[in-house]
Amino acid sequence: MYILFSLLALLPTVILSSPIWNPTPESHYDVVVVGGGPSGLSALSGLARVRRKALLIDSGQYRNLLTRHVHDVIGSDGVTPAYFRWNARQQISQYPTVSMTNGTVTQIAKLNSSTFSIVDADGNHYTSRKVVVATGLRDILPSTPGIAENWARGIYWCPWCDGYEHRDQPLGLLGAIDKIFGLVLEVDTLDTDLIAFTNGTMTAEGLQVLNTAQPDWENIVKIYNVKIDNRTISTIERIQDGGIVNNIATKTEYDKFLVHFDDGTTAERGAFFTGWPSVQASNVGTDLGIGMKGNKLYNNITTMATNIQGAYAVGDANMDGSTNVPHAMWSGKRAAVDIHLAMAEEDFESAVIAAGLSKRDDDPESDRELLLRYIGEEFENLWKLEATSEYLNFT
Ligand SMILES: Cc1cc2nc3c(=O)[nH]c(=O)nc-3n(C[C@H](O)[C@H](O)[C@H](O)COP(=O)(O)OP(=O)(O)OC[C@H]3O[C@@H](n4cnc5c(N)ncnc54)[C@H](O)[C@@H]3O)c2cc1C
Ligand SMILES: *[C@@H]1O[C@H](CO)[C@@H](O)[C@H](O)[C@H]1NC(C)=O
Ligand SMILES: *[C@@H]1O[C@H](CO)[C@@H](O)[C@H](O)[C@H]1NC(C)=O
Ligand SMILES: *[C@@H]1O[C@H](CO)[C@@H](O)[C@H](O)[C@H]1NC(C)=O
Ligand SMILES: *[C@@H]1O[C@H](CO)[C@@H](O)[C@H](O)[C@H]1NC(C)=O
Ligand SMILES: *[C@@H]1O[C@H](CO)[C@@H](O)[C@H](O)[C@H]1NC(C)=O
């Protein structure tokens, strides 16, 4: 008991003055965050609030770069993605221990058990104790003319993001045959005039894939009155821009497109939802040795920690199966909390040694238990339930 109380008394001074962690050069950080989308910014915010020294490096190729407005993010519904990021950066920049820089990280490597080395394309070199991979996903668009040009502005990926602006409009569904019928169930509350453009994929082989992926697709076609158009698409042409023709008050955008087929015929649609694949936007995570699950970085979806000790994966890039801004922010915050606790524990262990103290060998409490018991709930009440159920098993 006496030892515990003396430890408690020492904690603030010992940890804050960090006698164990050597004075750090300017390029050494507690945490380097790679990627400045909502997940990386959120991780940085969480670290800023507890005065961790952190650097965010961002190459600015945001997944929603081209989209007109951010939706389904409470408090920010309808703002432009650029405003959303600017506002986040303004707020985060008020915290002196964190900084943000433009750059493309070309390599993250582990120097030893407690240090990462981070290099960017301009040759800047940084070290850090922890690293957050927040590099996002990249959408693979077909090369059909008109698709890349209109991506995110009439040709969309997620109904939550952009469906409401095109409610009750003639809708097209684009994608490999096995991907598009699942979309029907998602958009049914938004639009009922649906054409699935299967682009010549309704071959015997294609139908076999479809039957496996979506065994009830024929019922979906009947119940939701989906028309199937198997003509081969040659181009998609914009004939009206919903960025110009719209009604802000009612949140409606009036895009119009002509789908041109290789036989010279056309079909008119107001907007499209798609089922195209995506890949990791960067390979710095996998090059570091983080595993993959499908196209996602393998991690513990409770803490965001990866198989590489000290490296975390967040946002669209991680494997927890959700890709949207609120989720990206949640996962960044989650990593920040786990990182802060992990570093607090490491510093605490160092401080115990530095102070010439030692815990009794038969003390049933681990360092992290002891930390959590005294300061854990104050750190982050949000994770209290988890702290009691899971972290208490941490040794
Ligand atoms: C068309 C479209 C519209 C969308 N609309 C919405 C919406 O309305 N609401 C919503 O909730 N979600 C929306 N989303 C999803 C949302 O964009 C993503 O879920 C979100 O951006 C994921 O955040 P992130 O931080 O993981 O990745 P991103 O936002 O993609 O950010 C990743 C960042 O990492 C950087 N980066 C990558 N590699 C490196 C490297 N090696 N070095 C340095 N930096 C690097 C990239 O340049 C990028 O800036 C939309 C997606 C699309 C495609
Ligand atoms: C960083 O990149 C953003 C665009 O992503 C740009 O607006 C800004 O000026 C850049 N900052 C610097 C210091 O180059
Ligand atoms: C790891 O490497 C860094 C940078 O070279 C060094 O400062 C640190 O003492 C090393 N730590 C260990 C545990 O070897
Ligand atoms: C349509 O099919 C052609 C031929 O297979 C392909 O090149 C093209 O990318 C497809 N377009 C779309 C929009 O799927
Ligand atoms: C769909 O188009 C492809 C390519 O033109 C063709 O081989 C296939 O028979 C068509 N499927 C149907 C059901 O018409
Ligand atoms: C994830 O991390 C938590 C907390 O450390 C741990 O309790 C849990 O077992 C881990 N999950 C997996 C799947 O490893």
Side-chain angles (χ1 to χ4, degrees):
M1 220 35 198
Y2 173 72
I3 289 178
L4 288 182
F5 277 118
S6 12
L7 282 181
L8 186 61
L10 279 170
L11 266 175
T13 42
V14 169
I15 290 182
L16 289 181
S17 61
S18 293
I20 294 313
W21 191 250
N22 293 324
T24 55
E26 275 312 295
S27 62
H28 182 77
Y29 293 86
D30 289 332
V31 187
V32 166
V33 179
V34 183
S39 66
L41 288 167
S42 171
L44 194 68
S45 168
L47 296 163
R49 290 287 308 166
V50 290
R51 301 211 296 180
R52 289 294 177 187
K53 185 182 175 193
L55 172 70
L56 180 143
I57 307 170
D58 182 35
S59 59
Q61 303 291 310
Y62 309 102
R63 191 171 180 204
N64 64 356
L65 187 71
L66 298 173
T67 202
R68 289 170 182 144
H69 301 109
V70 172
H71 292 113
D72 201 12
V73 181
I74 58 168
S76 296
D77 191 48
V79 305
T80 64
Y83 174 82
F84 180 88
R85 288 187 295 268
W86 174 83
N87 197 25
R89 282 170 172 262
Q90 283 290 112
Q91 293 177 343
I92 293 169
S93 64
Q94 291 169 27
Y95 296 90
T97 63
V98 298
S99 48
M100 295 168 259
T101 186
N102 289 349
T104 302
V105 170
T106 50
Q107 192 194 42
I108 308 171
K110 203 148 186 191
L111 286 183
N112 57 41
S113 62
S114 56
T115 311
F116 290 92
S117 139
I118 298 99
V119 180
D120 74 13
D122 299 324
N124 297 307
H125 184 270
Y126 310 95
T127 55
S128 65
R129 293 170 64 182
K130 310 286 175 197
V131 69
V132 178
V133 179
T135 47
L137 291 177
R138 188 162 52 81
D139 295 288
I140 305 294
L141 307 181
S143 58
T144 304
I147 287 182
E149 294 86 339
N150 296 304
W151 175 242
R153 287 150 303 170
I155 303 180
Y156 300 111
W157 158 73
C158 105
W160 283 269
C161 307
D162 300 292
Y164 190 80
E165 283 61 36
H166 298 275
R167 62 197 181 282
D168 301 322
Q169 294 181 2
L171 207 68
L173 305 173
L174 298 167
I177 189 171
D178 54 310
K179 299 286 187 291
I180 52 185
F181 290 95
L183 273 172
V184 175
L185 305 175
E186 286 186 16
V187 301
D188 170 54
T189 50
L190 295 166
D191 296 282
T192 51
D193 174 0
L194 305 174
I195 301 179
F197 295 103
T198 57
N199 190 31
T201 57
M202 298 214 46
T203 58
E205 197 188 15
L207 286 170
Q208 210 174 344
V209 178
L210 175 61
N211 281 322
T212 311
Q214 192 88 52
D216 53 354
W217 73 272
E218 280 177 297
N219 286 333
I220 295 176
V221 168
K222 282 192 201 108
I223 292 167
Y224 296 96
N225 193 27
V226 186
K227 294 185 192 69
I228 299 179
D229 191 327
N230 184 46
R231 284 174 287 179
T232 301
I233 301 170
S234 53
T235 61
I236 295 185
E237 180 196 2
R238 178 187 289 286
I239 52 177
Q240 185 164 291
D241 188 349
I244 298 165
V245 187
N246 55 36
N247 184 334
I248 302 218
T250 63
K251 290 183 181 289
T252 316
E253 295 172 6
Y254 300 98
D255 294 279
K256 268 188 202 160
F257 295 91
L258 275 186
V259 183
H260 292 267
F261 302 101
D262 66 350
D263 62 4
T265 57
T266 58
E268 191 181 312
R269 293 280 96 182
F272 302 90
F273 282 92
T274 63
W276 292 320
S278 54
V279 294
Q280 291 288 319
S282 170
N283 55 13
V284 290
T286 47
D287 287 352
L288 171 64
I290 299 175
M292 292 280 278
K293 186 185 180 197
N295 62 345
K296 306 291 182 65
L297 295 176
Y298 192 89
N299 64 349
N300 178 323
I301 62 174
T302 305
T303 63
M304 303 295 143
T306 68
N307 55 301
I308 302 296
Q309 178 95 37
Y312 292 72
V314 299
D316 282 9
N318 98 86
M319 73 170 206
D320 68 357
S322 181
T323 53
N324 55 68
V325 170
H327 157 266
M329 293 193 287
W330 176 83
S331 62
K333 163 69 176 165
R334 191 64 193 89
V337 171
D338 198 72
I339 286 171
H340 185 56
L341 283 179
M343 286 197 291
E345 184 184 20
E346 290 160 15
D347 291 347
F348 176 66
E349 280 164 8
S350 302
V352 166
I353 295 165
L357 302 168
S358 61
K359 290 203 302 127
R360 290 189 354 244
D361 286 347
D362 61 350
D363 188 341
E365 269 184 320
S366 70
D367 291 341
R368 188 176 279 223
E369 282 175 302
L370 186 138
L371 260 184
L372 281 167
R373 192 146 62 80
Y374 287 111
I375 51 181
E377 292 179 13
E378 309 244 333
F379 272 170
E380 185 41 81
N381 224 7
L382 192 62
W383 311 110
K384 183 178 167 188
L385 274 180
E386 186 174 74
T388 49
S389 65
E390 290 189 340
Y391 281 126
L392 290 188
N393 298 324
F394 191 102
T395 48

